[in-house]
Amino acid sequence: MMKIKAKTIVKGIASGEAIISRMPISFTGGVDPNTGKVREPGHDLEGKSIAGKILIFPVGKGSTTGSWQYYATYKRGNAPRGIINLQAEGVVAVSAVITGTPMVHRPEQDPFAYIKDGDMVTVNGDEGFIEIG
Amino acid sequence: MELQKREEEMLSGKCGAGLKKCMEILVAVGECNDAAKMIPVTSVHMAGNYSVMETEGIDWLEELARGGSRVKVFTTKNPEMYDFEDWREFNVPEELQEKQNRINNVLKDLGITLLYSCHHYLAGNSPKFGDHIAWASSGSGAFANSVIGARSNRDGDHTVISAAITGVIPEYGLHLSSNRKGQVIVKTGNLNISEYDHSEFQAMAWHIGKKVRDKIPVFIDLQPETVIQNIKAILYSLTVTGAVGLVHFVGITPEAPTVEAACGTSDIGSLEHLSLTQEDVDKAYREISTATDQKVDLVIFGCPQCTIQEIGEAVDLLEGRKVHPETQLWFCTSGWVKTLCKRMGYWEKISAAGGRIVADIGAACGPYLYLPKQGVRVIAVNSARASYYSHNVTGMETWFGSTKECVETAIAGTWRGRQ
């Protein structure tokens, strides 16, 4: 078990398999709400589903309408269970708030160095940390 | 962040579930951006249309309205899918009509004015210099920041609706004077800009947006006499390729009487400089088009929605001529400009030529929810923004050119502009 402290954006606790991207993600155009699969050509998660996972990526990007598309993704059962960003920005943060998805950012240690795809990870937004294993 | 007592109460749920949700959204946005406090907003404009909100988005708004939430601040709405007066003529599928009725009803319940316009700042939602506003449409937000000197970030709909309902927004980004300083000096002196038409201004800005990315550009040699239509051309194109909320036009932008004032320093030499060549502009111009088929199904103006002047100019080009029978010609605008077109006789002239004035929609996305099923695939536009969004969001094939080239295309039925 390893704990990494982080700042809370949305409270709550969620556990699941990690899915990691080193690239920014846009929810408008970038993720298909009907499948939860990343559909941006050339993205490092292209063709992979974020549904039910703990999604770890550096930062959001793209259209500010992303929070509408994220909400549709969530309602169709295809959103991640928890979100970890290196730096949160408005679109991803709002997406997490309106869906009650636990979210933290600014981890005190580089999560990419300690977490790989498929690891069990817990986002603890109540106390502000990430737990691995 | 530090909240006032009233804001704390909203966040705690004391003032109801709707205000709690809205304050949670604003606090999260504030936390991401290290905002110290909330500040009052005076004007709100909501963007999202059905193509991005989808049914779940309407459900979300309805839940907010059912809980009794109402806007405290004057709020208007961007264009939607079809003309509310003449919709029967457009064969809009029943399913979309049902969604649109739900959108109309829920926005009215929330107290949002059903303007369905993206030139809201010409139609009653006009902030003044220094006002803090929340406009969720990047083109008009840039207009507010750069021409009026009001202050808006690039906020999404959930954030601006929350601002309208609570009356406040986190103080960060372009709300702070320290973040409004020019960062890249843009020199257009090598270009024969005095001869540029509206489309060339857009091509120039398309290139600049890609170069400056999220930095604040400072145009140092744009003539103060530059007409507002060309300023809009720059802003609505630059905000497609660049994540820019504010552009300083020295001599035009209220905060930019001089280049030093715009940049907040006298050491202009230390800033990044960007010089443009005509080749840059020509290359960008060609990049904006995405089509290869010469046959054009629809020539569509209005991104942002056409002003009465723009429609008047097109009428002069169209008078006494006939649109090709296999090509449609649409002028997208607001309801009030449509009314004015009837008063001015433009409506009759455009109808006689075989064209249409369509209110409540823009040329960027709304109508492409039903037009492809009616056989519309290749479109011609005089807006770089319309080309980008209609292609990338709804898959249209696009030609981009001047107003005159687009009108000639409507008459010929095939593309008459640059290849």
Side-chain angles (χ1 to χ4, degrees):
Chain A
M1 284 280 192
M2 178 187 178
K3 266 190 192 181
I4 300 175
K5 275 193 174 178
K7 282 196 70 177
T8 295
I9 295 292
V10 178
K11 285 185 180 171
I13 301 171
S15 297
E17 270 182 36
I19 183 162
I20 299 172
S21 171
R22 300 240 175 200
M23 295 167 81
I25 294 178
S26 164
F27 291 119
T28 292
V31 178
D32 183 350
N34 290 322
T35 60
K37 282 184 182 165
V38 174
R39 60 181 171 188
E40 182 182 322
H43 199 279
D44 62 3
L45 293 184
E46 188 183 353
K48 290 187 185 161
S49 172
I50 60 172
K53 307 273 175 67
I54 302 296
L55 178 60
I56 306 168
F57 63 111
V59 65
K61 69 163 182 181
S63 168
T64 56
T65 60
S67 51
W68 289 119
Q69 288 282 291
Y70 187 91
Y71 190 72
T73 307
Y74 169 79
K75 282 288 179 182
R76 294 171 201 180
N78 298 317
R81 273 187 212 171
I83 297 176
I84 302 169
N85 273 172
L86 295 185
Q87 172 60 49
E89 53 66 65
V91 180
V92 180
V94 169
S95 299
V97 172
I98 61 176
T99 57
T101 305
M103 174 174 176
V104 297
H105 78 149
R106 297 182 190 166
E108 288 184 0
Q109 282 165 286
D110 177 9
F112 297 121
Y114 298 99
I115 307 172
K116 56 182 192 307
D117 275 343
D119 285 353
M120 280 304 291
V121 173
T122 299
V123 176
N124 189 323
D126 290 342
E127 291 172 63
F129 65 82
I130 304 161
E131 200 168 56
I132 306 154
Chain B
M1 52 192 303
E2 190 115 348
L3 297 181
Q4 303 284 326
K5 185 160 170 275
R6 174 82 183 136
E7 294 156 5
E8 286 284 6
E9 283 172 1
M10 290 182 193
L11 189 62
S12 72
K14 244 189 190 173
C15 314
L19 279 165
K20 179 176 184 342
K21 179 62 70 185
C22 290
M23 193 50 78
E24 282 173 358
I25 289 171
L26 296 175
V27 167
V29 171
E31 290 292 336
C32 300
N33 294 288
D34 298 310
K37 62 179 200 293
M38 300 286 179
I39 46 171
V41 287
T42 58
S43 160
V44 176
H45 183 71
M46 178 192 164
N49 57 31
Y50 179 64
S51 65
V52 289
M53 283 188 344
E54 305 206 33
T55 309
E56 290 86 347
I58 305 175
D59 296 339
W60 190 85
L61 290 171
E62 286 174 345
E63 197 185 318
L64 196 61
R66 263 198 308 276
S69 294
R70 299 290 178 267
V71 299
K72 278 201 187 99
V73 179
F74 184 60
T75 304
T76 48
K77 169 69 174 68
N78 242 17
E80 263 295 342
M81 298 180 264
Y82 56 81
D83 187 316
F84 298 136
E85 267 180 5
D86 303 330
W87 57 273
R88 283 176 194 82
E89 296 168 25
F90 293 89
N91 301 313
V92 178
E94 248 173 58
E95 192 216 335
L96 292 183
Q97 292 172 37
E98 185 234 314
K99 304 294 183 197
Q100 186 58 57
N101 285 334
R102 283 178 62 192
I103 294 171
N104 288 350
N105 289 333
V106 71
L107 295 183
K108 243 194 292 187
D109 286 349
L110 289 167
I112 295 172
T113 301
L114 305 182
L115 192 65
Y116 295 122
S117 176
C118 50
H119 55 215
H120 48 289
Y121 48 91
L122 307 175
N125 196 349
S126 310
K128 63 185 190 301
F129 177 72
D131 277 357
H132 295 282
I133 64 173
W135 285 6
S137 73
S138 59
S140 65
F143 185 89
N145 278 307
S146 312
V147 179
I148 300 169
R151 301 181 169 205
S152 180
N153 283 317
R154 283 171 74 105
D155 292 313
D157 281 322
H158 292 99
T159 308
V160 305
I161 293 166
S162 299
I165 289 171
T166 61
V168 296
I169 196 142
E171 184 184 49
Y172 76 97
L174 293 174
H175 291 295
L176 294 162
S177 299
S178 53
N179 294 328
R180 297 177 66 86
K181 306 299 179 205
Q183 294 165 306
V184 183
I185 304 294
V186 177
K187 292 180 175 170
T188 56
N190 295 332
L191 309 172
N192 193 10
I193 223 171
S194 60
E195 298 293 312
Y196 270 19
D197 71 12
H198 179 248
S199 65
E200 288 162 314
F201 274 104
Q202 294 178 66
M204 175 184 84
W206 185 270
H207 175 79
I208 295 168
K210 287 206 281 190
K211 291 288 171 191
V212 301
R213 293 147 64 104
D214 60 353
K215 297 215 176 90
I216 298 173
V218 184
F219 284 68
I220 55 168
D221 38 26
L222 200 65
Q223 291 303 310
E225 299 77 45
T226 307
V227 295
I228 206 89
Q229 190 189 359
N230 290 336
I231 304 262
K232 277 167 67 189
I234 293 173
L235 293 171
Y236 280 80
S237 176
L238 214 152
T239 46
V240 173
T241 52
V244 171
L246 164 65
V247 176
H248 286 296
F249 300 108
V250 173
I252 298 172
T253 301
E255 289 151 279
T258 62
V259 61
E260 290 80 9
C263 302
T265 174
S266 52
D267 185 12
I268 302 304
S270 69
L271 299 172
E272 200 179 314
H273 281 60
L274 175 66
S275 267
L276 277 83
T277 66
Q278 187 55 42
E279 276 167 15
D280 295 329
V281 178
D282 289 339
K283 188 166 164 278
Y285 203 114
R286 283 190 296 273
E287 245 176 53
I288 298 167
S289 291
T290 61
T292 49
D293 277 9
Q294 301 296 312
K295 188 176 173 300
V296 173
D297 304 313
L298 169 69
V299 176
I300 184 164
F301 294 105
C303 180
Q305 286 177 329
C306 294
T307 61
I308 190 70
Q309 296 100 312
E310 287 161 349
I311 296 180
E313 284 165 24
V315 164
D316 288 342
L317 297 167
L318 261 179
E319 224 177 327
R321 305 172 80 188
K322 279 274 180 208
V323 172
H324 192 275
E326 288 174 23
T327 302
Q328 298 187 57
L329 171 63
W330 288 25
F331 294 90
C332 307
T333 190
S334 55
W336 73 273
V337 169
K338 180 179 163 184
T339 302
L340 204 46
C341 284
K342 290 185 176 174
R343 190 175 293 174
M344 294 298 295
Y346 297 165
W347 177 271
E348 287 79 3
K349 286 176 183 167
I350 288 172
S351 300
R356 280 170 153 170
I357 296 170
V358 191
D360 307 314
I361 67 166
C365 43
Y368 312 121
L369 287 171
Y370 50 92
L371 286 177
K373 289 200 180 106
Q374 300 173 16
V376 173
R377 190 174 59 85
V378 181
I379 67 171
V381 293
N382 71 344
S383 157
R385 189 178 191 84
S387 178
Y388 180 86
Y389 284 110
S390 66
H391 180 70
N392 286 295
V393 179
T394 50
M396 309 305 290
E397 297 297 316
T398 58
W399 288 111
F400 167 72
S402 69
T403 301
K404 189 167 188 306
E405 288 163 352
C406 287
V407 168
E408 294 303 324
T409 298
I411 287 158
T414 51
W415 178 238
R416 284 292 180 267
R418 293 193 201 188
Q419 292 292 330

